[in-house]
Amino acid sequence: MFVKKTLLTALVAQTCAAATAKAREENAKCSKTTVAILGGGMAGVAAAQALSNSSIHDFVIIEYRDTLGGRVAHTGFGKKPSGDPYTVEIGANWVQGLGSPGGPENPVWTFAKKWDLNNTYSNYSAILTYNETGYTDYSAILDEYENMYEGASEQAGILLKQNLQDQTTRSGLSLAGWKPKKDDMKRQAVEWWEWDWEDANSPEESSFIFGSAGSNLTFNQFSDENNYVWDQRGYNRIIKKEASTFLKKNDPRLHLNSVITNVTYSDDGVTIHKEDGSCVQAAYAVCTFSLGVLQNDAVSFAPELPSWKQTAIQKFSMGTYTKIFLQFNETFWPRDTQYFLYADPTTRGYYPVWQSLSAPGFIEESNIIFATVVSQEAYRIERQTDEQTKDEAMAVLRKMFPDVDIPEPEAFMYPRWSTTPWAYGSYSNWPPSTTLEMHENLRANIDRLWFAGEATSAQYFGFLHGAWFEGRDVGEQIASLLKSECNNVQSTAEDCGNRVYYETLHGSSPMADYSVFDGWSVSSFYSSS
Ligand SMILES: Cc1cc2nc3c(=O)[nH]c(=O)nc-3n(C[C@H](O)[C@H](O)[C@H](O)COP(=O)(O)OP(=O)(O)OC[C@H]3O[C@@H](n4cnc5c(N)ncnc54)[C@H](O)[C@@H]3O)c2cc1C
Ligand SMILES: *[C@@H]1O[C@H](CO)[C@@H](O)[C@H](O)[C@H]1NC(C)=O
Ligand SMILES: *[C@@H]1O[C@H](CO)[C@@H](O)[C@H](O)[C@H]1NC(C)=O
Ligand SMILES: *[C@@H]1O[C@H](CO)[C@@H](O)[C@H](O)[C@H]1NC(C)=O
Ligand SMILES: *[C@@H]1O[C@H](CO)[C@@H](O)[C@H](O)[C@H]1NC(C)=O
Ligand SMILES: *[C@@H]1O[C@H](CO)[C@@H](O)[C@H](O)[C@H]1NC(C)=O
Ligand SMILES: *[C@@H]1O[C@H](CO)[C@@H](O)[C@H](O)[C@H]1NC(C)=O
Ligand SMILES: *[C@@H]1O[C@H](CO)[C@@H](O)[C@H](O)[C@H]1NC(C)=O
């Protein structure tokens, strides 16, 4: 027995040595860098800029697509009078929460102004309501919901402040008096417009506490305005322009069209393998893949991610938000209206919101309108052919405008986010009864492997500005680690250590962890308990 064990140990040691030698030999072929940034979306670019700002210039950005921007993505669609296609955004579309005089400003709004991005105020009051019989005014229900929600949000605030048990947004809304009957399709449509449209998930699927806190941190902190970006150069212009402040033209540090397949990490460094067989060896890596990419094991990690990290990845959810674009030869819908809300008689969330690009201040001559679906309806529609979806969409429009002889669209298109291999969904959402502690595990580093992106933001998950803040934070933290002050073992600087994580979840979070919300009035909220 003893002999056997010794032999086994020797054998294992030998195999390990061989494996290490093999790994070393393989690594010798890899190009070397100090920091590898995995993904060139908003978070990746912000991380690289933060490193640059700290005079760390030895990094690479490794990006799947042929461009920077990630989920801020556009495509050509339809025809302009000149014959060229219009640019439409298939991903992020709004700057959400701008800024108020003397108050903090959303960094995305700062960039939109700095880089002269064409955008227009989204007027959510410029809305008409419909059902299967055509126009029918149920706009008063919008006010009913909004008045109720003030009370609901206050209750969510109390749960947060007292560190009490979370619940579904459904229960929160019910307790605040919003109890739409399942067959009250007008109230179902209003609820979809008010909740599902933003979170890409239903009230049942959303945390009451963090849904409300997230909305506050964006819309109460910055401003309640949403500006819709329709710039013909594309919304990702701001990301490319920010990148151009530290990357030169054809900068060798930017690896586009580079699909990462495997990431090997340890407390010595990280090796990144690409589909083309090449590899990059780095002292640190920042993983900015979407939650969907992580959930779908689109990239493999060696060693396997620890169970606390895998749990966090599967705990949070990835929503899908699908915009279905139609261009007609004329604008047959009311010109001055931005939004058309449709209450389908049988299916909640069936082509519920229609948005006009022909409205004043947008692309007025475009004759483009698009519908948005999320979650289960998005999955269903993304599985269909374009032809099937076009027929459904046209049938809805014909119900909404029974007096109009609606021609066939001249162009039709929609993206399929749920199956896009570099995203697997649109943006993350915070599920009910999911603690801040669980979220910290999503955000925590493992050895030299760090994480950033919209989903790692406790305050701004789902939003583009969340991705920017998270990228910046990780870049600054790695910069500190690389600087000499962190090599001093006595260093107590917060930025010099690992991020907090919990091997065992407790079902609630230490109050101290709520300091992530510091910097805004919510913090006085937390500390006053
Ligand atoms: C349809 C839709 C609508 C949205 N609407 C809004 C909105 O109106 N306002 C708003 O604020 N936010 C909106 N968002 C969310 C916003 O787009 C995201 O929060 C933000 O863009 C995320 O940035 P990120 O850097 O975290 O991730 P990403 O942008 O996903 O960046 C990650 C990068 O990693 C790359 N990558 C993935 N896998 C690999 C691989 N294997 N190898 C190499 N590279 C890889 C990807 O190509 C991508 O470029 C929307 C998103 C979608 C999809
Ligand atoms: C880098 O510095 C510039 C100039 O001060 C600043 O505008 C930018 O926001 C900084 N970027 C990050 C990610 O911190
Ligand atoms: C928004 O639309 C409503 C309804 O059309 C209109 O009364 C209001 O003036 C508009 N607000 C702005 C800021 O344009
Ligand atoms: C959100 O803001 C409202 C209004 O300021 C406040 O009453 C509520 O407590 C806040 N909710 C959360 C969860 O922070
Ligand atoms: C921006 O808006 C102006 C004014 O409407 C328009 O003339 C210009 O073509 C737009 N530019 C882009 C790039 O969208
Ligand atoms: C590399 O990753 C792919 C999937 O991304 C996986 O199928 C493969 O087994 C991995 N290879 C190694 C050596 O880990
Ligand atoms: C649609 O609206 C019309 C007019 O208000 C109403 O008579 C009808 O009952 C509504 N349909 C449904 C399913 O509620
Ligand atoms: C659009 O097409 C329809 C059907 O072909 C036609 O009847 C209508 O006149 C056209 N409208 C314009 C503005 O050309």
Side-chain angles (χ1 to χ4, degrees), residues 187-199:
R187 279 188 174 67
Q188 294 293 338
V190 165
E191 183 183 282
W192 190 100
W193 157 269
E194 300 278 0
W195 190 269
D196 302 46
W197 195 31
E198 186 65 62
D199 283 37

Side-chain angles (χ1 to χ4, degrees), residues 130-137 183-186 343-346:
Y130 296 77
N131 81 353
E132 80 287 356
T133 66
Y135 173 73
T136 165
D137 186 0
D183 64 350
D184 182 349
M185 300 317 278
K186 292 173 180 170
D344 186 75
T346 57

Side-chain angles (χ1 to χ4, degrees), residues 37-173:
I37 296 164
L38 318 186
M42 185 56 122
V45 168
Q49 192 179 52
L51 290 169
S52 261
N53 282 2
S54 299
S55 305
I56 290 160
H57 303 292
D58 185 31
F59 58 79
V60 297
I61 301 176
I62 309 172
E63 169 53 44
Y64 188 115
R65 302 177 64 218
D66 60 1
T67 179
L68 291 173
R71 282 173 272 163
V72 184
H74 58 267
T75 187
F77 173 70
K79 262 196 198 129
K80 292 181 178 168
S82 68
D84 294 333
Y86 283 104
T87 295
V88 294
E89 299 297 332
I90 57 175
N93 231 143
W94 284 272
V95 184
Q96 304 201 260
L98 310 182
S100 45
E105 184 162 286
N106 181 338
V108 178
W109 181 236
T110 310
F111 298 148
K113 290 187 293 184
K114 178 175 172 191
W115 300 112
D116 199 20
L117 203 62
N118 272 343
N119 64 86
T120 301
Y121 170 67
S122 253
N123 185 352
Y124 294 130
S125 302
I127 182 174
L128 293 174
T129 52
Y130 296 77
N131 81 353
E132 80 287 356
T133 66
Y135 173 73
T136 165
D137 186 0
Y138 52 90
S139 56
I141 304 176
L142 294 165
D143 301 326
E144 188 189 308
Y145 181 100
E146 281 155 27
N147 292 335
M148 170 284 301
Y149 189 75
E150 269 179 42
S153 172
E154 234 168 78
Q155 287 306 312
I158 291 170
L159 298 182
L160 181 73
K161 173 184 167 190
Q162 298 181 5
N163 200 6
L164 298 176
Q165 172 67 49
D166 192 15
Q167 57 193 1
T168 63
T169 294
R170 169 64 60 221
S171 11
L173 297 180

Side-chain angles (χ1 to χ4, degrees), residues 321-339:
Y321 182 109
T322 311
K323 292 183 258 188
I324 303 160
F325 294 88
L326 298 91
Q327 185 183 37
F328 291 92
N329 66 343
E330 57 188 4
T331 292
F332 61 80
W333 54 92
R335 273 214 167 259
D336 290 340
T337 302
Q338 295 187 13
Y339 296 101

